[in-house]
Structure formats: C-alpha cells, structure tokens
Amino acid sequence: MVKPVATVSVAPRLPKPLARLMELASNLRFSWDQETVALFRRLDPELWEVTNHNPVALLGRIQQERLESAKNDPAFMAHLERVSEDFDAYMAAKKTWYKDTYGSQKKAPVIAYFSMEFGLTECLQNYSGGLGVLSGDHLKSASDLGLPLVGVGLLYQEGYFQQYLNVDGWQQELYPINDFPNLPLTLERDKDGHPIKISVELPGRKLYAQIWRVQVGRTPLLLLDSNIPDNREDDRNLTDRLYGGDRRTRIRQEILLGIGGIRALEALAMRPDVCHMNEGHSAFLMLERIRIMMREKGINFYQAKEIVASSTVFTVHTPVPAGLERFGFDLIDEHFTDYMRELGLNRDQFLNLGRENMGTYELFSMSVMALDMSYGANGVAKLHGVVSRDMWNWVYPNVPKEEVPITAVTNGVHVQTWVSNEMATLFDRYLDPTWRTQEWRKEAWAGVDNIPDSELWRTHSRRRERLVAFCRERLKQQLIHRGASKSEIDAADEVLNPDALTIGFARRFATYKRATMIFRDLNRLRKILHSADRPVQFIFAGKAHPHDNEGKAFIKEIVRIASQEEFRHSIVFLENYDMNVARYLLQGCDVWLNNPRRPKEASGTSGMKGIFNGCLNFSILDGWWDEAYQPEVGWAIGNGEEYPESQSGEQDRIESEALYNILEKDIITRFYDRGRDALPRSWISMMKNAIRELAPVFTTHRMVQEYTQQFYIPNYERFIKMTQPNMDAALAYTGWRAQVRGAWNQIRVVSVNVDKAAVTVGAKSPVTAVIHLGALTPKDVRVQLYYGALNTRGEIVNGQALDMTLEASNGGGLYTFKTTYQYATSGETGFSVRVLPYHEFMHTLFQPGMITWA
C-alpha cells in the first residue's frame, strides 16, 4: 500500500443560493424532520437511496447540472427557504421544556451522556442495536427539549458488521469502511486549524485520538477516533469495530471512552457537571473525574470519590449476568498500575472498586464500580428494576431486595424519528398540534378518536403496501447476491400479499428471544398461513452476534423454512437489519411479535415504535410490555410466568401453544372481521386505543424528562451545594462519611418494645426502641420501624418502613426512639427496627455495609 505525502479534503461545489444545503446536511435533525428529507430526496431520489439517505454524500456525488437546475427552480428554492426558516427557528428557540422548567438557574449544567454506541440514522453506522438506537433517541429528545446535554462515544471505522446470508442461510459478516469525510461529521480543530487531540495512557505508551462532532439538532455528540498517524498500527485499529476484538481490545476501548471522553470534554472547555453512564462501558470516566478533582483541589481519593459520585448517574441495561462487562485482574494490572499510584491507591484498594466474586475466582466488574460511584442507578423498565434489585442485592448486604437503591426509568422512542410521514400527516389533521412537540401530554393524543376509521385504515394499509414492495425488492437483491436462479429471483415479485395480516419479528437474534418459536408446530402454522380467505404472513429480520452460532442457527432455520415452496410466499427474512429496515417494518406491519424468556428482556423498544404507526403488540409480558399491556391495546402471551432454566423446553411448549391459540382465536379473527364497508372496526378500535393510551407514555421525551427531574437536576444541585463557593461543605460531608463508617460497628439495637396485646384493625400501638449509637448522634442516623405480613417461615415480606422520632437521651450513647403504628389489616404482622445513616447530601439511606437490624 502506498502512503500519501499529502491529503486534501474536497468539499462539494454548491451554487451560492444552495449553500445552506450543506448546513442542513451536516445537522442530524434531518433524520427526524420529514421536510428536510423531502428536500434532499427531491434533488435526486435515486442517489438518495444509493447513499443510504446520506445528504452529505448526496451533495458530494450529485451532478453539477442538477444543482444548477435546482438553483433555477422556483419551487425547489421555495422549499429550501421554508426548510431553512424552520431549521433556524428550531435552533434558535428560546422557549423549550427545559427553559420553561429550569430557566431560573443561574448557570445551566453541562450534562454528559456516555454510551458505547449511538444509533442516529442509517447512514452513520455507529450502532449495533437497541442500546445504540436508545442512545440516539435520547440525544434527539434532549435536543427537542432544550437540555444542556452533550453525548460522548467512539467513532468506529467499520462500525458494526453488515449482514448477508450464504446459500445455506448462514449469516456472514462484512465490515465496510465508513468514509468519514462523506458523513455528517465535523473534525474538531483548534484556532490554527489543527485537529484537537487527546491522549490516554496505555502500557508503555500513549494512545492518541481526535474528536469528531456530530450535531444532533441542538445537541452535540463527540466521538473519539484513534485511527490517526500518531498511533502505532494496533492502536490505530482500536476504534475499528464496535464490540470487536478480544478482552484487551475491549478494556482499551473502554479506557478511551471513559477517561478519553472526559479529556475530550476538557479539551473543548465542556467540563461536565453531571455524567450519565448508559451501561457500564464508560465507568472509567469516574476515575478521571476523581483524578482531576484530586489534582485541582488537593484532596484525597475518597473525598473526591464522594463528590464525583454525587453528580453521576448509571443506567443498567442487561438483566442477564453473563452479559455484564468484567475484566480479569491481569488486565487491570496491565493498564492501571501507574494510574493507581496517581489516585493514591494500592492494588487492593483499586480492585475493591469493582471486585465481584464469581464463585471460584474474582473479576473486576464495571457495573459494580458504576453502582458504587453513582448517586442514582436505574433499570430501563419497571420489571427490569425489580430484576436489577434482585441481581444486585448482594452489593447491599442486609437490605431487603425491594429497597435496593436501583429505580426504573422506562425507555421510550423518539416519535418524530419513527412515525411514518403518512401517519404524521393524519395526526396533523386530527390531533392537537402539540403531538409533535409535547407528546407526553395525554391531551395531545385524545383526538385520535376523531380520526375516521376509513382514513386510519387506508393510511395504515398504504404503509403495508409499501412494506410489501420494499420486501420484494430487498428479497430480489438478496437472491441475486446468493447466486439464485432467474426463476427464484423473478418469483420474489410475488412474495407476500399487500392485503394480508402481516406480522413482524425483528431484533437481535439472541437465543433467549426465541425467534423460531412460531415454527414449533409447522402443521399448525401451515394452516394459519394458507387460509384462503384469512391469509397471514411473517417478516423476519435481525442479526446474530458474530460469535453466536446458536443465534445464527435460528436465522438459518427461518431461511430454510422460508425457502420451501409452501412457505416462500408468506415468510420472508430480510438481511442486514438496520434503522431503515426497522422503519419500513414498524410502519407497515399489523402486529409486532416478541416472545423472549421472561424476565430476560430488559426493556425492548422496537414494539414501542409500532404504537405511533398503528402496529399492535403481541408479546410475552416482559420488558416494557409488562407495564404497557391492557387487553384493549394488544395481546399478551402468558400471564407473566417465570420458569427455571431446567424447564425451558416445557416453557417453550406452553408459550408456543398460547401464541398459536391467541393468533388463531383472536388476532386473525379480529383482523378479518369486516363490516359492509370492508373495515375491521374492532381492530381499528384497538389501534386507536393503543395510540391514545400508550403514545404519551413510551417516548424518549417523557424518559428524558424523568432523567432530568429524578437525576440530572437533583445531582447537579447537590454537587453545587457541596462544591460552591468552596469545598468546605463537600469536605465536611466526606469527613462525616468517614466518621460514620468507622463508628458503624458500634451501633446496635438494644431493645424493641411492641405492645403485643390483642388488637383489632384500626387500633394504634406505640413502639419504642433503645439504640446504642456509640460515637454517633441521632442526627447522624434514621431509626425506622420495619413492618409487614409474614410468610410461612415467619419472615417479613414486602415490608414497609416508618421513621421513629427521638424520645429521650439515656446517656452512655443510648437513645430511645418512638413511633405509633396503626393496624390496617387483620392477621399476623411482623415488626423489626433498623438503623441507617442519614445526611442531606446522601441520595439514598441504603449504603453498602451500613444498616443495622434489631
């Protein structure tokens, strides 16, 4: 290979009247503004598709004659002016949700949102699946709401793999190179025009990275790229692939993301006041924030740790322990020995930050470190919060699992990204205009009942027709690439029926998602698909991880069945699932099928996207559907049962039977139950119910508001109280924590007195407790009565707590606390008393190792 002696970046040559096209192309607001998309498509519809909807590439490749023609086209210029004015109004808006809610702040915080992947648009392949798309939707909603937020991630030269299938239906992976200069990216440069670079320490050398900016509406996203000449070859390859390489590659990627991400923000004068870790990949960022604070404020590690934790948020995503990010101690030693010394920690102290006992060995867990260093942790659905509290109960010994301080903020989707143009036009006609800007308001969606059934059905049917046309064209291309015969390729024009009940299944092909469950009884499925007057068809899409052979086997099985003559018209597998394929599916399917093994689905967001397009959900009660399901808005498979792993085969049998029964007896019947006007009135009613009831809830606007109200602003305000005008309050707090931790073993509950006389419902009973606090005082603690019903083993279940007040100081470190309990129900009630630490700066009373029970 020949190395160049010079590199020149060539920009498109746009006629002056069209100059604003590049500005519009360079801001990813185009990915959710349909008028901007229409403007670029108008320039060259074919090239728009060829460039995978990339306006920067389109402007670079379009014929100069076409640009000259557009410049002289009054209709196009009027369209450009209209889009530009709308863009300017959006970018300069002074009235946003954030400003309306928090505009009185003296200084807006800098909120840094870290994620390993960001799925913003199909032309920027920097994501693998749901986690990345959620991150992208988070940034889009932050922009719409006016949040002072910045995203931080890595920029991958190859991104995630492109999927294709060989003649046997076995998944193969391609890694096409991302052409950064022809993507909506801007390299961050200093005043002299030189790329701004940061560095992180690797064994025996430094790793350098440059910073690319992706402008997502009002929200900047910073992506780090190590493929620069400053690095040796293997270090240049570090940002080649998302989730690629071995464990050594992975830890170095996460060092770059966490430590390098903080250094990138520092280099751009964007020091974060609050950091949000979307999964534990970026957890090393906390160490870098601590290091900076130690250096600047002259404090020790443990003092800085509490201050940094007070302004950090951690979102856990995986409910499967095997999916967590852990590293061997050898990799920690290799990469952090010098860093430990800079933090003032010995090896054991550093390892204790993330130590997790795996039974016969120990590993360094990024999630454990993130939990320990965050004032706020959450799962991504209510059920996932329950699963997470159970999963991480061991981190909080003696804390009842329902009180483990991990809450839940249910995921959502960015509505304007995922709603079809046709459905949006319908909503504009009949709904309150705020459905586009304040979609969390129930009132914005109430007008769905005013939409005539015929219009709603026609609109949805057109999207189904477009989906079928899209599938036929994609299938033809797939068959050509596989070397299929001409007759097979020609037959692709006849697959699927634009009027048939269409069921979609598209997601990551992890085995617990059970993609092949619908094929358990092929004879029964054959009858369902081949009904002459009530046909049904399935469209599948999704990628298996390159090393997941079981997931690949699922894909192969689907493709094998779909290729059989009796199924090929009604079952299709679309290769290379991405955001574009997802849009066609979610906007055109009638039903979205999801059948994971409960409770292994953390949230799942694909089905949420169907809500806004009239697609009904048919799912196991797992993830978000567990809290969303009502009989009026969709269908549930099972009743939320959970099975041990040893009974997975029985579980599959039972739940597949339920799937077939509901499909045959309700879904198909309801879809084809037509009146004289050929409209499925009952089905349309469910579509309206789902939109009215679910649309205000499952959006990233609502989700980002919850993060702001529950975490970002409380953490920021706590951080300001602790550190301004000086560090006195913070140091007093950290000193208090050290004192309480050192004295906690002196605390004991000496006695508890509960009136055990026979009582009736409604009676009130005094409860007193004598507590030995040792060197601590009553203002350092909360003493609580813990009460609840008893199980068969005499243990309190689903207990509740009631604060007790100081009654008397008895001397010698002894204090009497008292409360009054009122009996609300009959039966046996159990009581206990507990002591927990308390300080106004704590985000939760439940601190690891600091709870004393009677």
Side-chain angles (χ1 to χ4, degrees):
M1 303 293 285
V2 178
K3 296 274 188 180
V5 296
T7 303
V8 177
S9 291
V10 182
R13 182 164 62 90
L14 298 178
K16 191 171 181 181
L18 301 182
R20 294 214 65 188
L21 283 172
M22 184 52 74
E23 183 182 0
L24 295 171
S26 300
N27 190 310
L28 264 66
R29 182 174 177 267
F30 75 76
S31 68
W32 72 90
D33 184 71
Q34 291 159 345
E35 274 300 301
T36 310
V37 168
L39 180 71
F40 285 113
R41 181 181 280 118
R42 185 172 187 165
L43 276 172
D44 190 326
E46 185 177 340
L47 189 56
W48 177 252
E49 296 301 328
V50 169
T51 59
N52 202 21
H53 309 157
N54 178 357
V56 174
L58 180 143
L59 293 177
R61 295 172 59 179
I62 197 167
Q63 294 293 319
Q64 202 67 31
E65 294 81 6
R66 177 63 189 112
L67 293 175
E68 293 295 332
S69 171
K71 179 189 72 171
N72 297 315
D73 180 352
F76 181 86
M77 295 306 297
H79 194 175
L80 172 58
E81 182 178 3
R82 187 168 66 249
V83 169
S84 298
E85 287 176 355
D86 189 52
F87 175 81
D88 291 341
Y90 178 87
M91 295 300 290
K94 289 188 167 51
K95 186 175 177 60
T96 65
W97 173 83
Y98 182 83
K99 288 179 181 176
D100 287 347
T101 311
Y102 299 105
S104 60
Q105 290 174 328
K106 290 182 181 178
K107 171 188 171 293
V110 176
I111 303 163
Y113 178 85
F114 284 71
S115 183
M116 199 73 170
E117 51 177 299
F118 287 90
L120 292 154
T121 179
E122 54 268 24
C123 71
L124 185 56
Q125 295 282 341
N126 219 54
Y127 64 98
S128 71
L131 176 72
V133 174
L134 173 74
S135 300
D137 282 9
H138 193 114
L139 298 194
K140 292 173 183 177
S141 280
S143 171
D144 288 344
L145 297 171
L147 243 67
L149 183 141
V150 54
V152 182
L154 302 181
L155 182 62
Y156 305 99
Q157 193 72 58
E158 298 175 356
Y160 203 56
F161 71 88
Q162 303 286 299
Q163 177 199 54
Y164 72 98
L165 306 181
N166 66 18
V167 291
D168 294 325
W170 192 256
Q171 174 183 291
Q172 306 290 304
E173 295 87 30
L174 283 174
Y175 292 89
I177 302 297
N178 283 324
D179 181 13
F180 295 165
N182 282 313
L183 288 172
L185 305 166
T186 305
L187 192 60
E188 292 287 349
R189 299 179 183 274
D190 61 23
K191 58 182 174 35
D192 297 320
H194 302 303
I196 296 173
K197 298 173 185 174
I198 59 95
S199 65
V200 296
E201 290 71 28
L202 289 185
R205 64 194 185 282
K206 285 189 174 183
L207 170 73
Y208 295 90
Q210 59 189 4
I211 308 165
W212 294 85
R213 179 189 290 252
V214 181
Q215 196 61 39
V216 186
R218 305 179 184 111
T219 301
L221 167 61
L222 308 179
L223 300 175
L224 298 176
D225 166 25
S226 71
N227 186 17
I228 54 177
D230 310 62
N231 294 320
R232 69 190 203 188
E233 192 64 27
D234 56 333
D235 290 345
R236 293 188 67 161
N237 296 337
L238 197 61
T239 52
D240 266 3
R241 295 179 182 177
L242 172 61
Y243 305 135
D246 57 13
R247 301 307 298 164
R248 182 170 281 102
T249 299
R250 191 66 160 262
I251 196 171
R252 291 176 180 176
Q253 285 184 332
E254 298 187 3
I255 288 169
L256 180 59
L257 173 62
I259 296 174
I262 293 295
R263 292 181 182 177
L265 291 167
E266 291 282 329
L268 298 176
M270 301 171 72
R271 175 172 290 186
D273 299 297
V274 175
C275 285
H276 182 177
M277 297 176 289
N278 193 36
E279 256 305 353
H281 306 115
S282 61
F284 292 134
L285 72 86
M286 298 177 291
L287 302 179
E288 181 63 9
R289 292 184 75 199
I290 289 169
R291 188 191 68 82
I292 292 171
M293 186 167 286
M294 290 173 64
R295 184 189 65 206
E296 293 182 352
K297 304 299 183 182
I299 58 181
N300 67 36
F301 175 85
Y302 293 102
Q303 290 170 324
K305 172 177 175 283
E306 289 303 329
I307 300 167
V308 167
S310 73
S311 61
T312 305
V313 183
F314 172 46
T315 296
V316 298
H317 277 270
T318 178
V320 183
L324 298 172
E325 195 70 289
R326 304 180 179 95
F327 297 108
F329 290 170
D330 58 330
L331 288 174
I332 299 297
D333 291 337
E334 180 182 347
H335 293 89
F336 284 98
T337 298
D338 292 337
Y339 203 89
M340 293 175 196
R341 284 195 286 267
E342 200 168 351
L343 295 174
L345 300 178
N346 61 37
R347 181 176 185 268
D348 275 347
Q349 288 171 325
F350 190 93
L351 293 177
N352 284 341
L353 300 176
R355 192 186 298 269
E356 183 174 3
N357 190 324
M358 306 302 294
T360 57
Y361 59 96
E362 293 179 318
L363 291 174
F364 189 93
S365 167
M366 300 292 278
S367 298
V368 169
M369 181 168 68
L371 284 170
D372 183 47
M373 293 194 190
S374 301
Y375 274 26
N378 69 281
V380 290
K382 289 179 182 177
L383 177 60
H384 182 231
V386 174
V387 172
S388 297
R389 288 189 285 275
D390 185 37
M391 186 170 167
W392 296 110
N393 202 168
W394 67 270
V395 176
Y396 304 90
N398 298 319
V399 175
K401 69 180 178 183
E402 63 270 13
E403 293 185 298
V404 168
I406 300 175
T407 62
V409 175
T410 301
N411 284 345
V413 299
H414 185 254
V415 176
Q416 300 305 316
T417 295
W418 296 104
V419 67
S420 73
N421 193 29
E422 294 87 348
M423 195 66 80
T425 301
L426 190 65
F427 290 161
D428 285 338
R429 192 176 303 133
Y430 291 101
L431 302 189
D432 186 306
T434 58
W435 82 269
R436 283 192 180 270
T437 55
Q438 299 176 25
E439 60 227 33
W440 62 88
R441 296 175 60 248
K442 283 193 170 185
E443 299 82 357
W445 300 95
V448 71
D449 292 322
N450 299 328
I451 302 174
D453 286 358
S454 58
E455 279 196 62
L456 180 59
W457 189 245
R458 273 201 312 271
T459 301
H460 178 67
S461 296
R462 279 198 299 272
R463 286 307 316 186
R464 191 190 315 109
E465 290 168 8
R466 289 196 177 192
L467 170 62
V468 169
F470 174 79
C471 289
R472 288 172 176 174
E473 183 57 35
R474 287 291 288 251
L475 183 58
K476 284 175 73 172
Q477 295 304 316
Q478 291 172 194
L479 292 169
I480 290 170
H481 291 153
R482 284 184 222 160
S485 66
K486 186 177 184 305
S487 60
E488 286 180 280
I489 295 168
D490 291 343
D493 284 330
E494 299 175 3
V495 302
L496 303 179
N497 176 349
D499 298 316
L501 171 60
T502 304
I503 300 175
F505 182 103
R507 52 192 37 87
R508 185 167 53 90
F509 266 63
T511 50
Y512 75 84
K513 295 177 184 283
R514 300 187 294 184
T516 58
M517 199 164 83
I518 188 66
F519 301 111
R520 279 185 64 88
D521 188 338
L522 283 180
N523 288 328
R524 197 168 179 181
L525 179 62
R526 189 178 292 109
K527 293 176 184 177
I528 291 171
L529 299 181
H530 293 165
S531 172
D533 56 343
R534 296 186 169 192
V536 179
Q537 56 200 16
F538 286 85
I539 305 172
F540 290 85
K543 298 176 179 178
H545 188 278
H547 302 306
D548 182 4
N549 285 330
E550 287 185 86
K552 290 183 178 183
F554 277 5
I555 294 173
K556 181 179 179 180
E557 177 68 6
I558 293 171
V559 173
R560 183 188 67 80
I561 293 171
S563 65
Q564 295 175 15
E565 181 62 29
E566 58 184 336
F567 292 120
R568 69 177 182 84
H569 288 99
S570 49
I571 299 175
V572 169
F573 183 92
L574 298 180
E575 295 176 14
N576 205 30
Y577 184 47
D578 66 359
M579 291 179 71
N580 185 43
V581 175
R583 269 198 304 274
Y584 273 97
L585 286 169
L586 270 306
Q587 293 171 2
C589 283
D590 301 297
V591 174
W592 199 248
L593 175 63
N594 189 28
N595 41 241
R597 284 202 174 93
R598 176 184 163 117
K600 294 187 176 183
E601 184 90 288
S603 174
T605 56
S606 60
M608 297 178 189
K609 298 162 186 133
I611 294 168
F612 307 94
N613 294 290
C615 178
L616 300 174
N617 280 274
F618 177 29
S619 175
I620 296 286
L621 292 174
D622 199 6
W624 76 282
W625 192 239
D626 182 66
E627 64 197 81
Y629 169 69
Q630 308 164 40
E632 299 81 17
V633 302
W635 297 273
I637 302 169
N639 294 307
E641 301 90 346
E642 293 178 18
Y643 296 77
E645 287 291 333
S646 60
Q647 295 181 15
S648 60
E650 180 68 1
Q651 178 183 5
D652 290 353
R653 185 190 65 79
I654 293 170
E655 291 178 344
S656 65
E657 184 72 18
L659 190 160
Y660 287 125
N661 286 339
I662 295 168
L663 186 56
E664 291 168 336
K665 297 176 182 177
D666 193 343
I667 295 177
I668 296 173
T669 300
R670 193 182 295 257
F671 184 85
Y672 285 107
D673 184 11
R674 310 291 171 98
R676 293 181 62 188
D677 54 7
L679 294 177
R681 298 282 181 178
S682 176
W683 188 278
I684 295 169
S685 175
M686 286 188 75
M687 291 169 67
K688 289 183 175 181
N689 291 341
I691 295 169
R692 186 194 327 103
E693 299 302 319
L694 304 182
V697 181
F698 297 100
T699 79
T700 42
H701 277 31
R702 183 271 313 155
M703 180 191 82
V704 170
Q705 286 173 340
E706 287 189 21
Y707 277 118
T708 305
Q709 294 161 341
Q710 295 180 27
F711 298 114
Y712 298 162
I713 297 304
N715 282 18
Y716 173 62
E717 291 175 344
R718 182 189 297 111
F719 182 71
I720 293 299
K721 284 182 183 177
M722 290 173 69
T723 58
Q724 293 185 10
N726 52 47
M727 301 291 288
D728 290 353
L731 295 180
Y733 172 58
T734 58
W736 173 86
R737 283 192 67 100
Q739 177 195 1
V740 169
R741 187 166 293 282
W744 197 259
N745 62 2
Q746 300 172 24
I747 292 179
R748 65 182 186 277
V749 180
V750 177
S751 63
V752 178
N753 182 31
V754 180
D755 187 350
K756 296 180 181 178
V759 293
T760 58
V761 172
K764 295 182 179 181
S765 177
V767 181
T768 59
V770 176
I771 311 295
H772 180 265
L773 295 181
L776 302 181
T777 68
K779 68 181 178 62
D780 297 321
V781 299
R782 280 282 186 270
V783 178
Q784 295 181 332
L785 175 69
Y786 187 79
Y787 62 91
L790 303 180
N791 63 17
T792 55
R793 293 181 291 179
E795 300 164 332
I796 297 174
V797 292
N798 299 319
Q800 299 181 61
L802 186 64
D803 282 345
M804 303 181 77
T805 57
L806 179 65
E807 179 77 2
S809 174
N810 308 335
L814 292 172
Y815 300 88
T816 299
F817 291 81
K818 182 179 181 179
T819 192
T820 300
Y821 175 77
Q822 183 171 15
Y823 292 89
T825 59
S826 60
E828 284 194 309
T829 300
F831 296 95
S832 187
V833 169
R834 66 189 185 189
V835 187
L836 305 110
Y838 171 77
H839 192 284
E840 64 168 320
F841 287 158
M842 289 169 52
H843 72 295
T844 174
L845 297 177
F846 301 104
Q847 304 296 305
M850 288 200 286
I851 179 170
T852 298
W853 290 89

